[in-house]
Amino acid sequence: MPPTLRLPARLLCLAVAGLLALGGATAAEGMRVRDDGGARVSLAAPAQRIVSLAPNLTEMVYAVGAGTQLVGVGRYSDWPEAARKLPIVGDAHALNLEAISQLKPDLVLVWQSGTPQRQRDALRRLGLPLFESEIRTVDGIADTLRRLGQLTGHAPDADRTAQTMLERWAALRRAHQGMAPVRVFYQVWDAPLMTFNGQHLVGQALQACGAVSGFDKLAALTPTVSREAVLAFNPQLLLA
């Protein structure tokens, strides 16, 4: 998986100037959530030793105020700066199961489509509590952060952050309503040439800012396209 594919959450968070989360649950309620795979995640107490195996999830943990509870991260977790100091225990290609086990995590955060099933199964065989995340919408980001707030004991902080992000997202969309559209091509990778479709989070963020793409209706979230197709689209703005 090219490292640039980690950008969806980063771009969206920058675009709306914030992340998100929960509020109002009791302590007992806060320890039980369902992840995006439909599995129930139950903790006896807020997670204090968290391993995040995706950069976007690492950023979300910091966003809800639980950064000091992180003990290990996936490769390319480089923001905020404190994340760079944490042990790297794997990436989308391979996990260091021994290193993860030695960290004794009480919660492991996994990007569902970015972590092969065999690796997720291996983590479960270690008996580690797993939260699988697969975010496809802005509301999905907010919901994920709410659940992370519950699992880490930071529900009120998560709720405030979520509300701020959602308000800024709404303001961003209002600000660009009625403006002349701009043809944009976003290059995710160069060999092969890849972009985002309109269902991807980045595609949604671009649309909110008044951008149009000639590749929004392609089936794949990150489709491969030809240089000829890009030239035919004749973008006014290139992002890479």
Side-chain angles (χ1 to χ4, degrees):
M1 179 72 68
T4 47
L5 292 184
R6 66 176 290 268
L7 289 177
R10 169 68 56 79
L11 176 62
L12 183 58
C13 293
L14 290 175
V16 299
L19 285 163
L20 10 83
L22 141 79
T26 67
E29 291 170 339
M31 297 306 102
R32 296 194 300 270
V33 305
R34 285 198 181 274
D35 68 11
D36 291 335
R40 183 178 293 278
V41 183
S42 299
L43 303 178
Q48 297 300 313
R49 298 187 60 79
I50 305 167
V51 169
S52 168
L53 297 177
N56 61 317
L57 294 173
T58 299
E59 294 180 24
M60 290 182 181
V61 172
Y62 279 99
V64 303
T68 59
Q69 291 150 248
L70 278 168
V71 295
V73 296
R75 198 175 307 279
Y76 311 117
S77 292
D78 57 6
W79 192 89
E81 185 65 29
R84 295 175 178 266
K85 302 175 183 178
L86 294 170
I88 296 173
V89 294
D91 54 29
H93 300 288
L95 301 178
N96 188 332
L97 296 175
E98 181 179 0
I100 293 172
S101 182
Q102 289 176 349
L103 290 172
K104 302 184 184 306
D106 48 17
L107 180 64
V108 179
L109 308 178
V110 177
W111 176 23
Q112 192 177 64
S113 64
T115 306
Q117 182 67 55
R118 67 181 184 280
Q119 294 184 359
R120 287 179 273 146
D121 291 342
L123 290 169
R124 287 195 170 87
R125 286 195 293 271
L126 293 176
L128 301 175
L130 215 61
F131 178 92
E132 295 190 10
S133 173
E134 188 66 21
I135 302 169
R136 295 295 178 89
T137 65
V138 174
D139 287 343
I141 298 177
D143 184 51
T144 297
L145 285 166
R146 291 187 179 104
R147 286 176 287 167
L148 292 180
Q150 289 176 300
L151 292 171
T152 61
H154 292 271
D157 291 337
D159 189 44
R160 286 190 292 270
T161 307
Q163 185 61 33
T164 298
M165 183 286 257
L166 292 173
E167 290 173 356
R168 291 180 177 178
W169 172 251
L172 183 72
R173 298 182 68 182
R174 288 194 302 270
H176 290 85
Q177 284 182 347
M179 297 181 69
V182 178
R183 296 188 307 280
V184 176
F185 178 73
Y186 195 115
Q187 178 182 296
V188 179
W189 202 245
D190 62 344
L193 188 60
M194 300 173 67
T195 188
F196 298 115
N197 75 1
Q199 298 303 310
H200 196 287
L201 275 171
V202 173
Q204 295 173 45
L206 291 172
Q207 291 167 21
C209 294
V212 293
S213 167
F215 308 99
D216 280 348
K217 297 187 182 302
L218 295 181
L221 286 174
T222 53
T224 298
V225 298
S226 68
R227 297 179 185 276
E228 291 76 13
V230 175
L231 290 173
F233 174 57
N234 191 26
Q236 297 166 281
L237 176 65
L238 295 173
L239 299 174

